[in-house]
Amino acid sequence: MSDEVLVEVADGVAVITINRPQARNAVNGAVARGIAGALDELDARADVSAYVLTGAGGYFSAGMDLKGFLTGDFPHVEGRGFGGITEAPPRKPLVAAVEGYALAGGFELVLSCDVVVASAEAKFGLPEPKRGLVAGAGGVIRLPRRIPYHVAMEMALTGDHYPASRLYELGLVNRITEPGQALEGALELARKIAANAPLALAATKKVIVESQDWTLDEMFKKQGAIINPVFGSKDAMEGAAAFAEKRAPVWKGE
């Protein structure tokens, strides 16, 4: 990866770190390409079952690098969107570890994640209207699907910052940690996820994400197309055998 995006893999979890602390991890073209490249590689790796996305230096991300934007450095990757992720999140579960600010595009990166762990001091917001912009990288689309409509409207229209405690109350943040412990909290959760069967994880995520738009008539047909191969997999047999033999399963992703 590049200097702007660091990747570390251990215990089935890949930690992807935005590494521009001098700019509060503002997302530029290099960051977007780095995240996209990391996901392209890691989604194909059998030794990775879950991800953690975080930022270096006590910040998650202050959003798009506006200085870069003025010079034509737009942090968009074809096919993946802003930050290399917002239009095409990975098929494997993704946990956000948020310290400091997750604002504008930074908050949109969080909204691209499946689970959110935040420091008690973390702040979230979509301040784009204060800069003459719109949260077009999923912010105004995803936010009202995650929290109540009127609260989403308030956040998006005022552009104000909101504490992690408020988003925890609304169900957008899963867990709150002590300051400086968001990454460890996210890793704990990601390791728990990664201990499960990879094919089952990917299918479960796919159904939850895609079923929001399914009609009643097509729900179980579409779900079946996704999950039936899992029931016929080697891992399904391994899971049953491990249970019967009272041992830990050894997943192959097959």
Side-chain angles (χ1 to χ4, degrees), residues 202-215:
T204 296
K205 173 174 174 174
K206 187 175 178 67
V207 170
I208 290 175
V209 171
E210 296 185 4
S211 63
Q212 298 178 59
D213 300 321
W214 294 349
T215 67

Side-chain angles (χ1 to χ4, degrees), residues 75-144:
H76 183 281
V77 174
E78 186 68 30
R80 282 200 177 273
F82 173 81
I85 192 174
T86 57
E87 292 179 24
R91 64 183 183 86
K92 298 174 183 178
L94 175 60
V95 182
V98 184
E99 296 278 355
Y101 292 107
L103 302 176
F107 190 19
E108 290 174 305
L109 294 181
V110 171
L111 291 170
S112 299
C113 296
D114 305 301
V115 180
V116 182
V117 177
S119 156
E121 295 181 347
K123 297 286 193 303
F124 300 80
L126 294 174
E128 280 87 346
K130 293 178 182 291
R131 300 290 179 266
L133 302 171
V134 177
V140 293
I141 295 173
R142 290 191 170 110
L143 190 60

Side-chain angles (χ1 to χ4, degrees), residues 34-243:
I35 292 175
L39 294 177
D40 286 342
E41 176 189 339
L42 295 166
D43 251 3
R45 284 179 56 166
D47 62 330
V48 174
S49 294
Y51 305 114
V52 171
L53 180 64
T54 193
Y59 301 99
F60 185 79
S61 173
M64 180 171 67
D65 187 331
L66 294 179
K67 293 180 180 179
F69 173 71
L70 289 173
T71 64
D73 180 23
F74 194 59
H76 183 281
V77 174
E78 186 68 30
R80 282 200 177 273
F82 173 81
I85 192 174
T86 57
E87 292 179 24
R91 64 183 183 86
K92 298 174 183 178
L94 175 60
V95 182
V98 184
E99 296 278 355
Y101 292 107
L103 302 176
F107 190 19
E108 290 174 305
L109 294 181
V110 171
L111 291 170
S112 299
C113 296
D114 305 301
V115 180
V116 182
V117 177
S119 156
E121 295 181 347
K123 297 286 193 303
F124 300 80
L126 294 174
E128 280 87 346
K130 293 178 182 291
R131 300 290 179 266
L133 302 171
V134 177
V140 293
I141 295 173
R142 290 191 170 110
L143 190 60
R145 298 186 179 196
R146 308 289 171 80
I147 65 175
Y149 172 90
H150 291 101
V151 184
M153 275 291 191
E154 177 188 326
M155 289 189 70
L157 295 176
T158 65
D160 288 344
H161 300 175
Y162 292 77
S165 58
R166 177 60 173 146
L167 295 189
Y168 177 79
E169 291 172 356
L170 294 167
L172 195 149
V173 170
N174 297 79
R175 298 183 182 182
I176 294 181
T177 71
E178 292 296 320
Q181 296 300 308
L183 178 56
E184 187 52 46
L187 280 169
E188 178 184 348
L189 196 50
R191 290 181 188 123
K192 185 176 291 188
I193 293 169
N196 296 322
L199 294 179
L201 290 174
T204 296
K205 173 174 174 174
K206 187 175 178 67
V207 170
I208 290 175
V209 171
E210 296 185 4
S211 63
Q212 298 178 59
D213 300 321
W214 294 349
T215 67
L216 287 173
D217 291 336
E218 64 188 6
M219 279 184 177
F220 284 94
K221 181 178 181 181
K222 289 194 170 185
Q223 175 182 264
I226 295 169
I227 71 172
N228 287 344
V230 176
F231 282 85
S233 69
K234 293 180 181 178
D235 276 355
M237 299 300 102
E238 168 62 11
F243 176 80

